[in-house]
Structures are given as C-alpha cells and as structure tokens.
Amino acid sequence: MSAPSQIPNPAHTLAESMLSRRFGKETVNYFSSSPINRLSFLRNDHPFLSSALKHPSTQFLLLNNLAPLTRSPAEVYYAKYDEVRSLIPNDTFDQSEEELIKGFDSRKTHANLIFLGLDESRKEGSMTHKIYTGIPFFAIDVTPKGSAAQQTACKDIISAMEEKGLSFFQTRVISTFTPDEAAIYAQARALMDWNTRNTFCGTCGHRTLSVNAGTKRACPPTDEARTAEGLPQDRPECNTRTTLSNLSFPRTDPTIIVAVVSADGKRILLGRGKRFPPKWYSTLAGFIEPAESIEDAVRREVWEEAGVTLSRVLIHSSQPWPYPANLMIGAIAQCSDAAHEKINLEHDPELEDARWFEIEEVEEALRIGTSDLSSGAGPEYKGGLRLPPETAIANQLIRAAVNADYFQSERSKM
Ligand SMILES: [Zn+2]
C-alpha cells in the first residue's frame, strides 16, 4: 500500500471559475496552504495576543535548535500554556509595543515567542476575538540559551517533554508531517530561524528586540543597560529607525526551479548535483538575483548550469522552503529549436551531469523511483532514474511537464 498523498488541497474551495476552467486547478505544494489564518494585522494588538497566549485551547509548537517537538516522525506535539509558562514572563503582552521599545534593556533575554495565527477550521473550545474564531497557535524557542533562568526553564521543559516519550525531530528536511502540520511547522521554523540570526541590528550592530509577535525586530533608540554603565541612555543613531528598512523584517529568498522540455516535447532536461545519491536527477534551480525577473532568472540559470537556451517560460506554482528562508518559484520552460538543446557544463561547474531524458523513462521513475535526497535508491532498485518525492516541487514540475495537455496534444501530432 502506498502512503497517503502529502500534497495539500488547493485553498480555493470551488475549482469552478473562469480562470480555473481555462488553467485548471491550482497546484499546491508541500509546506504551503496552511490551515492557519495569520491575522498579521493583529500582531501589535497586545490585549488580543495576551488572551490568545493564555487561552486553554492554545497550541505551542516547541523548537529546540529548530527541531520540532514530536510524538513520532509523523506527528507534532503541541504543548499547552501551562507546559511552557515558566519560559514566558507573566507580563508578556501587558505593555504596548511602544512601551516595550521605550523600556528596552539589552541585559534581559527572553525565549523567542511567535504568534502564528488562528486555526479557524477548529471551533471546539476555540477563542473568539471580534469576528475571528479559532484555536491560537504560537511557536516558542526552547533552545537552552540566554540568561541562567531562561536556560534552566528550557532544560526543565525539555526534560519534562522527553519524560513523556516525546522527542525533538532532527532531520535535514521534514517530509513526514501531514500537509497541515508541515505548513504550520514551515512558518514556525522560518520565523524562528530568522529571529535567531538577527539578534543584532544589521545597520548599527546593537541588540534588537522582537516585536510584532515575533515577526519583526526593532532597533530601540535607548537601552537601560547603558544607564547602568554610566553611559547616556540613547544609543547611537540607526537608519532602521527612520526609514522603512528591510533589515528588521524577515527575509524570503526567491529561488527559481524549472522543468525544461525539449523543442519536440518528448524529452525533459534534468541535472545531477555532486552530492546526489546514485541515479538521482532533479530539475535545475538557483537564486533569483537582484533586479532580475523570474523568467530571466530561469533562462540564466539553465544556460549557466547546462548551456541550454530557453524560449518560453511559464510560471507553474510555488513552494515555501523553510531551509532557511526560500520561496521556490516553479516554472516549466521549453527550447524552441533543437540547436538550443546542446548541453554544456563548462560555464558554471555546479552540476556533475545534465541530461535529456525520454518522457517514458521519466514517467516510469515517477511511478516507481522517487525518494528523499537522503535515502536514495537501494541496491534492489532496477529503474534507471531516481527522482525527488512528491513533497518537493521538483516532482510536481516534472509531473506537470510530463502530463501537461499543451505538450500532449502537440506530441500526438508528431
Ligand atoms: Zn540599529
């Protein structure tokens, strides 16, 4: 029996619309389509956050060095407020954001606490704020660090959880959670990682303060710790205070990933990284550079890595990839002429190999030969090609390139 599909359902509830009739249902990728309404406009509403934090239905996703607390590799364990309250100061969210910034003291450390949103699909025992009803979700960092008291609280929570038989799931890329849990975890991991890497201001180098329920970091103008050292309370000037600087917002790095189809529509271009397991190939990918369109980035990457010149590029779907902050923008592209299909690996030596595969061979691999990059093919595998699992957008792009109507109707004419 094969495992249930890990691909989430499209967020649009009815597939029937002029757009969906023309272009079909949206393709949704693993780590996207979260059940949580992020309610980003309530992230500075501290009375709301305070009641969400202490509500009996509230779920806390615990991260220890970014590894999520789980019951098993397939199931997240959500803690209750009582299980983590030793790590959360009692007056959290009592003051407004402005007051917190004003009273900033760089000597005090707190565990990162992130409001993820409300799961509005669950009403039982849920909380209501204005017109919003659902179960609040937070992520909290239990990595032992910061003040001695914070470290002790973290260690105590970790031991208490491990005594219950729970564990922090350490793995390179998670692909075993249900689609809903994968999306919640992706949001938590990406934001926690960004907070952890940005404890100092990128402009002036001084300590920052988590605000907006863990989704922004401020560079406060004053610091109580300076007064204690006999210095003026004002910190040196910093541009992030006067301009809408990107420095204090979480980053998302756009990346292109593309399934390339030959001019006759009968072959697909795939590449092999140097560290891939045997027989394993995937779609080509790379970062979008500053001042570059998605389509231009696709053409540049494919030419740089494989020497192939592309014609039309079609944006297909996207996938958040929280390792650490990528947004994979998936495309399907085609060469317009057989002369443009010649492979040359000498421009950028990133790939160990790139090759055109017949559609039939790719179809067979999609049927019998997909696996995680870490697992690879066992010696019993008799197929010629291995491909990424369905939780990777690469798999969805290859599938679309193989199945797409626009290629099949053309192919049947040949
Ligand atoms: Zn600063």
Side-chain angles (χ1 to χ4, degrees):
M1 202 184 78
S2 63
S5 173
Q6 296 288 76
I7 300 304
N9 290 315
H12 59 98
T13 47
L14 296 169
E16 273 297 284
S17 66
M18 282 186 272
L19 272 179
S20 66
R21 279 195 293 277
R22 173 72 181 82
F23 296 103
K25 274 208 293 187
E26 217 165 274
T27 300
V28 185
N29 290 295
Y30 197 64
F31 293 132
S32 74
S33 209
S34 174
I36 283 183
N37 182 345
R38 298 187 184 209
L39 298 170
S40 62
F41 47 89
L42 293 180
R43 287 173 187 156
N44 60 2
D45 183 336
H46 282 201
F48 161 70
L49 291 172
S50 178
S51 44
L53 181 69
K54 294 169 186 171
H55 195 268
S57 71
T58 301
Q59 313 273 310
F60 291 83
L61 175 61
L62 274 53
L63 293 165
N64 181 5
N65 280 314
L66 299 175
L69 183 63
T70 55
R71 284 183 199 279
S72 73
E75 194 185 354
V76 173
Y77 176 85
Y78 294 106
K80 291 289 180 195
Y81 177 65
D82 279 345
E83 293 175 295
V84 290
R85 64 186 306 167
S86 60
L87 202 47
I88 305 172
N90 213 18
D91 58 356
T92 301
F93 301 128
D94 281 3
Q95 286 182 302
S96 71
E97 204 161 285
E98 293 68 39
E99 288 167 330
L100 282 175
I101 292 173
K102 231 179 214 173
F104 176 66
D105 184 336
S106 63
R107 290 166 298 185
K108 294 181 186 164
T109 67
H110 301 297
N112 280 316
L113 177 68
I114 300 162
F115 174 63
L116 302 174
L118 289 188
D119 181 352
E120 294 179 309
S121 68
R122 294 163 60 184
K123 305 289 185 206
E124 209 186 314
S126 61
M127 78 171 282
T128 296
H129 175 75
K130 295 180 181 166
I131 59 166
Y132 317 105
T133 296
I135 294 192
F137 277 70
F138 284 84
I140 187 163
D141 190 8
V142 298
T143 313
K145 61 184 178 192
S147 67
Q150 186 185 335
Q151 290 187 37
T152 306
C154 287
K155 285 177 191 160
D156 289 349
I157 290 170
I158 292 170
S159 323
M161 294 299 170
E162 286 173 348
E163 271 165 34
K164 289 186 202 210
L166 305 168
S167 59
F168 292 90
F169 186 29
Q170 305 272 3
T171 185
R172 199 183 67 87
V173 170
I174 282 183
S175 61
T176 44
F177 290 171
T178 62
D180 280 357
E181 289 195 338
I184 295 169
Y185 152 77
Q187 183 192 359
R189 187 193 197 282
L191 280 167
M192 194 64 80
D193 188 43
W194 170 77
N195 271 288
T196 307
R197 288 170 195 255
N198 289 275
T199 47
F200 291 91
C201 175
T203 294
C204 72
H206 289 87
R207 274 200 182 275
T208 53
L209 172 69
S210 168
V211 294
N212 245 252
T215 62
K216 286 185 195 173
R217 295 193 73 92
C219 181
T222 59
D223 182 355
E224 299 279 347
R226 291 171 63 89
T227 324
E229 285 173 36
L231 292 165
Q233 199 188 27
D234 287 351
R235 301 211 291 185
E237 285 195 7
C238 176
N239 278 342
T240 61
R241 295 183 207 126
T242 51
T243 59
L244 189 68
S245 164
N246 225 20
L247 287 167
S248 30
F249 291 81
R251 58 188 265 189
T252 294
D253 301 331
T255 308
I256 61 90
I257 177 159
V258 57
V260 177
V261 181
S262 61
D264 63 5
K266 293 181 177 173
R267 286 160 299 134
I268 292 182
L269 176 70
L270 299 171
R272 250 188 81 72
K274 295 187 174 73
R275 285 175 301 176
F276 286 6
K279 298 183 179 180
W280 219 86
Y281 280 75
S282 187
T283 46
L284 306 194
F287 286 109
I288 297 178
E289 297 219 330
E292 190 173 43
S293 72
I294 296 168
E295 293 84 349
D296 286 345
V298 168
R299 286 194 192 85
R300 178 182 54 76
E301 278 291 339
V302 170
W303 179 81
E304 285 181 358
E305 290 185 9
V308 168
T309 307
L310 296 179
S311 171
R312 175 78 159 97
V313 173
L314 184 73
I315 296 170
H316 174 268
S317 63
S318 61
Q319 177 173 43
W321 193 253
Y323 302 100
N326 294 1
L327 176 65
M328 310 287 282
I329 301 171
I332 297 179
Q334 193 173 21
C335 298
S336 59
D337 188 310
H340 294 154
E341 293 169 7
K342 196 173 163 3
I343 290 170
N344 180 353
L345 301 176
E346 286 170 9
H347 304 301
D348 178 350
E350 191 173 312
L351 295 179
E352 178 189 277
D353 188 25
R355 209 186 285 181
W356 289 100
F357 289 87
E358 298 292 331
I359 294 277
E360 293 71 29
E361 188 173 5
V362 174
E363 281 174 331
E364 184 199 33
L366 285 171
R367 238 181 4 256
I368 62 163
T370 62
S371 62
D372 278 336
L373 193 55
S374 52
S375 47
E380 73 289 350
Y381 181 65
K382 295 289 179 275
L385 171 66
R386 294 290 288 186
L387 293 173
E390 69 167 353
T391 49
I393 189 173
N395 179 296
Q396 303 302 317
L397 295 172
I398 295 168
R399 214 170 273 279
V402 165
N403 296 330
D405 287 342
Y406 34 86
F407 294 123
Q408 277 177 352
S409 52
E410 293 264 338
R411 276 178 210 137
S412 59
K413 280 187 232 155
M414 293 187 181

